[in-house]
């Protein structure tokens, strides 16, 4: 099975025979890269548009930007880095999943803890008043 | 692999099945996996800088805020440069797969020029900020900003040096397997830098301006 998979070419990360299970011709691969470029450009334009628009509820704009950024990262992973569901890619996908877990723990954990500390800390004015 | 072939040829019922059957994966799969692990560790390092920036974004010490400092036009051009260079890097890997020396060199040269343009714009922005008195020592917000974006800039600089080395090695040594493996690692590195920049322009510049 493994032999048959490898016989088709390079199915792993950064593969140079396309992103599907079947090998693609060079022309098809150029089209695939162009598709990735177009989707990433559209998401970039949408991000810059979202900052100035009044269509989105103001406090929701950072959430919209986060969603657009995650979507664009997905586009990059699939079309440029060729992270796929091919058997040769299983280890890469699992490592990516673990990396995403660590990143989420680090970023959201820091934000959560620091927000709580800010909330529980006496304000600087009160602190000054006590020292007088 | 010959073991698996022999087993299937003899019709043995206890032939290995499932993932990993048929022997070890080819070297390029293993090289890509190893470098991917390194890239993920790099992303974890960047996420710590992202977390620091997110926490300190409003700690401006009564100094200038993100909305007053950031020039989104400049950021848009930087983003376009890096996205286009990621695309031409993909074209270079297709040219390498076709063993075309001319197209490999052309695509890598364009990638390098776009990367250098990005770096130039970033250095210009940094020097403008420092000249305005908004250097890294002004406030915790600016310290975390310069650390995060500067670290990405250092990665791009290292990537440009690596890119020049790859061009020279393709010219001098041709499309040998070990050189192609090095180029695979380079292209993964370059695409990963673009992914980190997506996080920077969205969550640092755009969120900073909209907040």
């Amino acid at each position: 099975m493994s032999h048959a998979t490898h016989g088709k070419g390079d199915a792993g990360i950064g593969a140079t025979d396309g992103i599907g299970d079947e090998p693609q011709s060079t022309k098809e691969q150029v089209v695939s890269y162009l598709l990735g470029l177009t989707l990433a450009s559209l998401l970039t334009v949408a991000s810059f548009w979202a900052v100035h628009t009044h269509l989105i509820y103001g406090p929701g704009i950072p959430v919209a930007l986060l969603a657009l950024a995650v979507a664009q990262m997905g586009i990059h992973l699939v079309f440029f880095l060729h992270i796929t569901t091919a058997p040769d890619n299983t280890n890469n996908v699992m490592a990516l999943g673990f990396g995403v877990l660590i990143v989420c723990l680090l970023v959201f954990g820091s934000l959560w803890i620091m927000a709580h500390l800010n909330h529980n800390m006496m304000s600087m004015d009160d602190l000054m008043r006590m020292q007088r | 692999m010959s073991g698996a072939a022999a087993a299937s040829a003899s019709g043995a019922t206890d032939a290995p099945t499932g993932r990993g059957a048929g022997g070890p994966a080819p070297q390029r799969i293993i090289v890509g996996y190893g470098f991917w692990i390194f890239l993920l560790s790099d992303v974890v390092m960047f996420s710590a800088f992202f977390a620091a920036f997110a926490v300190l974004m409003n700690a401006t010490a009564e100094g200038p805020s993100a909305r007053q400092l950031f020039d989104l036009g400049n950021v848009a051009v930087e983003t376009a440069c890096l996205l286009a260079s990621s695309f031409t890097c993909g074209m270079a890997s297709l040219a390498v797969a076709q063993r075309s020396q001319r197209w490999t060199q052309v695509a890598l040269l364009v990638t390098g020029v776009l990367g250098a343009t990005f770096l130039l714009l970033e250095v210009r922005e940094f020097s403008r900020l420092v000249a305005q008195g908004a250097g890294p020592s002004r406030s915790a917000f600016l310290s975390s900003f310069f650390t995060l974006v500067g670290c990405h800039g250092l990665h791009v600089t290292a990537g440009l040096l690596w890119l020049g080395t790859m061009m020279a090695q393709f010219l001098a040594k041709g499309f040998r397997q070990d050189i192609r493996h090095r180029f695979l690692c380079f292209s993964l590195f370059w695409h990963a830098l673009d992914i980190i920049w997506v996080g920077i322009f969205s969550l640092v510049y755009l969120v900073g301006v909209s907040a």
Side-chain angles (χ1 to χ4, degrees):
Chain A
M1 175 204 153
S2 165
H3 184 80
T5 308
H6 297 151
K8 276 190 220 160
D10 303 329
I13 191 169
T16 43
D17 64 348
I19 56 174
D21 282 339
E22 296 297 318
Q24 292 173 300
S25 70
T26 305
K27 194 182 156 198
E28 284 170 327
Q29 289 180 67
V30 173
V31 170
S32 155
Y33 271 104
L34 278 171
L35 182 61
L37 181 71
T38 313
L39 288 173
S41 308
L42 284 177
L43 287 167
T44 304
V45 170
S47 296
F48 277 87
W49 169 82
V51 176
H52 295 297
T53 183
H54 297 290
L55 285 178
I56 304 176
Y57 173 58
I61 287 179
V63 180
L65 288 171
L66 181 68
L68 286 167
V70 169
Q72 191 171 343
M73 285 174 186
I75 297 288
H76 281 255
L77 284 175
V78 170
F79 288 94
F80 292 162
L81 281 155
H82 298 164
I83 294 278
T84 64
T85 51
D88 275 335
N89 244 319
T90 312
N91 288 327
N92 297 323
V93 174
M94 296 216 290
L96 173 67
F98 182 65
V100 170
L101 172 72
I102 299 291
V103 167
C104 288
L105 283 177
L106 227 143
V107 173
F108 294 113
S110 300
L111 282 170
W112 187 25
I113 290 174
M114 295 310 285
H116 263 259
L117 283 180
N118 266 341
H119 185 73
N120 290 334
M121 201 172 73
M122 194 179 286
S123 78
M124 217 32 120
D125 295 336
D126 291 343
L127 213 64
M128 293 290 189
R129 219 171 293 136
M130 276 180 70
Q131 283 175 347
R132 255 178 235 142
Chain B
M1 275 193 237
S2 58
S8 61
S10 65
T13 49
D14 58 346
T17 53
R19 304 207 192 284
Q27 202 189 357
R28 87 164 275 301
I29 303 285
I30 296 168
V31 167
Y33 179 55
F35 199 73
W36 181 231
I37 298 284
F38 159 73
L39 285 177
L40 286 170
S41 74
D42 221 28
V43 167
V44 167
M45 184 199 71
F46 269 105
S47 77
F49 288 134
F50 271 108
F53 178 83
V55 166
L56 297 171
M57 197 165 72
N58 297 316
T60 53
E62 282 153 25
S65 67
R67 188 193 284 272
Q68 292 159 333
L69 288 176
F70 295 158
D71 171 15
L72 285 191
N74 192 48
V75 178
V77 177
E78 283 179 290
T79 305
C81 281
L82 218 52
L83 183 59
S85 85
S86 209
F87 173 75
T88 54
C89 182
M91 293 300 102
S93 59
L94 293 185
V96 168
Q98 296 294 318
R99 306 289 187 273
S100 158
Q101 182 71 256
R102 182 165 49 128
W103 284 110
T104 303
Q105 296 291 337
V106 167
L108 283 178
L109 189 68
V110 176
T111 307
V113 169
L114 288 166
T117 312
F118 167 85
L119 211 57
L120 193 77
L121 289 170
E122 188 164 290
V123 167
R124 218 180 53 170
E125 186 200 20
F126 278 9
S127 59
R128 177 178 66 84
L129 289 179
V130 171
Q132 280 179 1
S137 56
R138 179 63 191 83
S139 63
F141 151 64
L142 282 164
S143 302
S144 58
F145 168 76
F146 274 94
T147 314
L148 172 56
V149 183
C151 190
H152 178 266
L154 275 182
H155 275 75
V156 175
T157 314
L160 283 178
L161 292 175
W162 192 356
L163 186 146
T165 318
M166 287 318 306
M167 288 174 75
Q169 288 191 344
F170 276 134
L171 266 184
K173 301 178 182 179
F175 295 102
R176 257 167 38 190
Q177 193 193 35
D178 53 341
I179 311 290
R180 278 185 282 130
H181 285 171
R182 279 174 215 171
F183 175 73
L184 167 73
C185 293
F186 166 76
S187 67
L188 293 178
F189 182 73
W190 198 254
H191 293 314
L193 282 186
D194 201 16
I195 291 186
I196 290 169
W197 179 255
V198 169
I200 291 182
F201 88 73
S202 312
L203 304 177
V204 172
Y205 286 98
L206 295 181
V207 169
V209 167
S210 74

